[in-house]
Amino acid sequence: MFCVYALNQGAAAFAVDINEAVDQDGASRSSLTSCKVLQHPVQIRNEAKILEGELTGDAYNLFAFPSECNFSGMRFSLDLVNNVKQNAEKILEGSPYSKGHWMVLIDAAKGFATQPPDLSLYPADFVVISFYKLFGYPTGLGALIIRNGAAKLLKKTYFSGGTVAASIADIDFVRRREGVEEQFEDGTISFLSIASIRHGFKIFNTLTTSAMCWHTMSLTKFLKRKLLALRHENGESVCTLYGNCPLKVSRHDCGSIVSFNLKRPDGSWFGHREVEKLASLYGIQLRTGCFCNPGACAKYLGLSHSDLLSNLEAGHVCWDDNDVINGKPTGAVRVSFGYMSTYEDAKKFIDFIRSSFISMPSEFEKRYLLRSKSIPCPTEGFEDRLPSSACHLKSITIYPIKSCAGFSVNSWPLSNTGLQYDREWLLKSLTGEILTQKKVPEMFLIKTFINLNQQILSVESPYCKSKLQIKLDSDSYLPGKEEFYLQNQRYEVQCYENEINQWFSDAVGQPCTLVRCCQSEYCFSLNKNRSMGMCRDVNSKVNFANEAQFLLISEESVSDLNNRLCSKTQKLSCGAPPNVNPMRFRPNLVISGGEPYAEDGWRNLRIGNTYFSSLGGCNRCQMINFYQQTGQVKKTNEPLATLASYRRVKGKILFGILLRYDPGNKARLDTNSWLKVGDEVHSNSE
């Protein structure tokens, strides 16, 4: 951010790497000769101009550095303050920008809690601190400490309420307040948040900075030792630490965080998002990604400029699930310790890593990965090779509105998008955000039903007094059509009048609109060489389904899962085991008969007279942990936590299979095709 302001004003800016020599005993030397600075290329905007004082060496320069890196935990010597102020020309030897008046800013947001700078020894001009990082509350509140002599150099380019003594609206006249704090406190300050800080300081006053520093350092060293000692059964290391300090060093060399990534036995990476999601099931909260520190992230992960641009072209943005691209991690996992952390916390985390990431592949994983790498089975004539089967179709469920409850039927017509009317509607906020159960659990309580004879969609909610009825050939559409993009697919949609939108707004507790898909087409596929079941199906037409036209679940597989849940509950003495109904997984088709997880190996199948291709396993998420009880939506860690223990492949937790019509089959779909409960299911696993 400092660079952006400097470049916008025509100044030059550049980043540096700082290295300190370390004595044989592991202690850092703080003398000037031990400080080595490596400059990165100078950045200058095209419109850059020579600033006043640059040629004479009277220009003011700013050197900004963190007291502790929030990515690696490395602490920088505060001697940098005096060294830069007194010997900038020697430190920046050879740089045309080394002359002038050097001012120093310490970003102490991370390091202030355990190593607050003594400004009498290190007279920085500016120090940034964060109360949120000190106490964990309130969010977004911090402070900027400014040396009196430096305050007069600060010039704001705007003003707002409370920062001026007077202004005249229709001429260029403004007189700012005298005090520097008055000039920079724009608008009403967050006085309620500020009042809560006293409680944080009250706790701190019962402790000492030295004690907190030693406590967090010992936890950090303990966790690092344990992580570095972890090995897979083939002897390969599990953990790669970033910015790892020597383990026998003074307490001033390492901070209170541990950043790392995990590797599989074959050397490939576990994605940081996979680690975060699994940790949440164990009640462990982690920070993952680049931690808003792109420079350190690129440095420690070895990401070049071309890597970063390539990742962006592949669709990767901050906070998404693209955690490994082209074999390289895009972020890391970070464990942060505070004064309230305990050894039990660290041990719980180590136990989680051991149980979740140090094991040989399960038989399911071996079989699935082998299948995904094999040559696809030709589809021509596969119906002649389908063996007889004891499986039959147990139930059919349609979900007209995405993320709302569905309804079951004995028979239902098919269309070129799957089951007719399935996921043909969705709700979106006034800002265009798609509403789902993950964000709005109340959608689970919205019941739907379609009467084919009357051509009416009926909807009801416990939050609405009356049932809503929408004609399928509705005359309540607003004129014209809209379009938007969802998962790389362009949709043309029809919108509804205000009365219908108001009903749904009441049902979900926020303003929203109902839209109906009338046309969709794919724009591109980010992963052209996708493995089976690992991304959205781009070879068939779908409405608003996440991945494919159909989701199939086996009753026998659900029964095996329930047995595992029961066994787990008995071992933990947790009371009554949670019984999971097949409908928890929101399937379109439930089959009965055969062996548990036999569907994993299916490539093609026939249900009645309709032929399908399997796209592989369905990647499950936290949504299957939601369930309805006494008219309320509740959430647990199950069954996802148990599934993660034996159904995980390359970061995906697979359960159920995705289907689409087989385009290469001679028995093509026609408009009179129906699926019926009781239809036999014949599969081909070649």
Side-chain angles (χ1 to χ4, degrees), residues 356-372:
S356 300
F357 299 97
I358 306 178
S359 62
M360 297 300 291
S362 65
E363 289 303 316
F364 160 68
E365 184 175 359
K366 291 177 182 177
R367 183 172 65 252
Y368 196 90
L369 291 176
L370 180 64
R371 173 182 171 231
S372 66

Side-chain angles (χ1 to χ4, degrees), residues 526-546:
L526 293 177
N527 187 0
K528 296 180 181 179
N529 298 318
R530 62 190 176 92
S531 300
M532 296 189 65
M534 293 303 179
C535 79
R536 186 177 172 88
D537 176 27
V538 297
N539 296 319
S540 57
K541 186 176 180 181
V542 295
N543 288 324
F544 295 125
N546 286 341

Side-chain angles (χ1 to χ4, degrees), residues 15 91 95 100 103 117 138 145-147 151 153 193 201 219 222 245 318 341 368 418 421 538-539 564 591 615 661 666:
I91 293 178
S95 171
M103 311 188 79
I145 301 172
I146 307 172
R147 186 170 57 84
L153 299 176
S193 295
F201 278 116
L219 287 174
F222 170 76
C245 305
C318 293
S341 302
Y368 196 90
Y421 303 121
V538 297
N539 296 319
R564 294 172 185 267
I591 61 170
L615 302 173
Y661 295 120
K666 67 183 182 182

Side-chain angles (χ1 to χ4, degrees), residues 7 17-18 40 63 141 155 158 209 229 235 359 403 445 456-457 466 517 550 572 586 589 604 615 623:
L7 294 172
D17 279 323
I18 301 173
H40 289 259
F63 181 84
L141 190 65
K155 294 182 175 61
Y158 68 96
T209 301
S359 62
S403 273
L445 302 176
I456 289 178
L457 166 63
S466 60
C517 177
F550 303 88
L572 298 176
R586 294 178 65 82
L589 310 174
N604 315 103
L615 302 173
M623 197 165 172

Side-chain angles (χ1 to χ4, degrees), residues 226-425:
K226 292 295 185 181
L227 289 175
L228 288 174
L230 296 177
R231 292 289 185 274
H232 290 292
E233 289 189 10
N234 63 357
E236 292 297 318
S237 177
V238 173
C239 183
T240 296
L241 296 179
Y242 299 117
N244 186 30
C245 305
L247 295 179
K248 294 181 179 180
V249 296
S250 70
R251 62 187 174 90
H252 297 293
D253 291 327
C254 290
S256 58
I257 64 176
V258 182
S259 294
F260 61 93
N261 271 313
L262 302 175
K263 280 189 171 183
R264 295 184 171 87
D266 62 1
S268 62
W269 297 97
F270 286 105
H272 57 83
R273 288 286 289 156
E274 177 184 357
V275 179
E276 179 186 6
K277 290 177 181 177
L278 289 176
S280 68
L281 298 177
Y282 286 79
I284 299 173
Q285 299 301 316
L286 301 172
R287 178 80 185 270
T288 63
C290 282
F291 322 128
C292 299
N293 192 339
C297 185
K299 173 185 175 181
Y300 288 108
L301 299 182
L303 298 173
S304 65
H305 291 169
S306 60
D307 289 330
L308 297 173
L309 293 175
S310 176
N311 291 349
L312 182 63
E313 290 295 322
H316 171 55
V317 294
C318 293
W319 302 105
D320 68 11
D321 286 340
N322 294 318
D323 47 15
V324 178
I325 299 179
N326 296 325
K328 288 185 176 182
T330 60
V333 181
R334 188 180 77 187
V335 174
S336 301
F337 290 116
Y339 65 87
M340 73 296 293
S341 302
T342 66
Y343 275 96
E344 287 73 20
D345 296 332
K347 185 179 183 303
K348 179 180 179 180
F349 181 74
I350 288 294
D351 291 341
F352 157 68
I353 295 295
R354 284 200 182 101
S355 63
S356 300
F357 299 97
I358 306 178
S359 62
M360 297 300 291
S362 65
E363 289 303 316
F364 160 68
E365 184 175 359
K366 291 177 182 177
R367 183 172 65 252
Y368 196 90
L369 291 176
L370 180 64
R371 173 182 171 231
S372 66
K373 294 177 182 177
S374 62
I375 300 175
C377 178
T379 58
E380 289 295 333
F382 86 84
E383 64 274 13
D384 298 327
R385 302 192 303 273
L386 291 176
S388 60
S389 172
C391 292
H392 66 276
L393 186 59
K394 182 70 176 295
S395 70
I396 303 170
T397 306
I398 299 92
Y399 306 89
I401 305 175
K402 182 180 178 68
S403 273
C404 293
F407 64 97
S408 297
V409 293
N410 289 324
S411 62
W412 198 257
L414 300 170
S415 71
N416 60 357
T417 60
L419 291 166
Q420 191 172 29
Y421 303 121
D422 187 56
R423 266 82 52 105
E424 196 163 309
W425 290 263

Side-chain angles (χ1 to χ4, degrees), residues 557-606:
S557 300
V558 175
S559 178
D560 178 79
L561 170 61
N562 280 320
N563 289 337
R564 294 172 185 267
L565 288 169
C566 181
S567 176
K568 182 177 180 180
T569 302
Q570 290 176 351
K571 288 181 180 179
L572 298 176
S573 300
C574 296
N579 189 64
V580 177
N581 187 284
M583 302 316 296
R584 177 82 74 91
F585 301 95
R586 294 178 65 82
N588 295 114
L589 310 174
V590 177
I591 61 170
S592 181
E595 295 295 322
Y597 312 112
E599 65 274 14
D600 292 337
W602 294 353
R603 285 198 176 276
N604 315 103
L605 65 151
R606 186 185 78 220

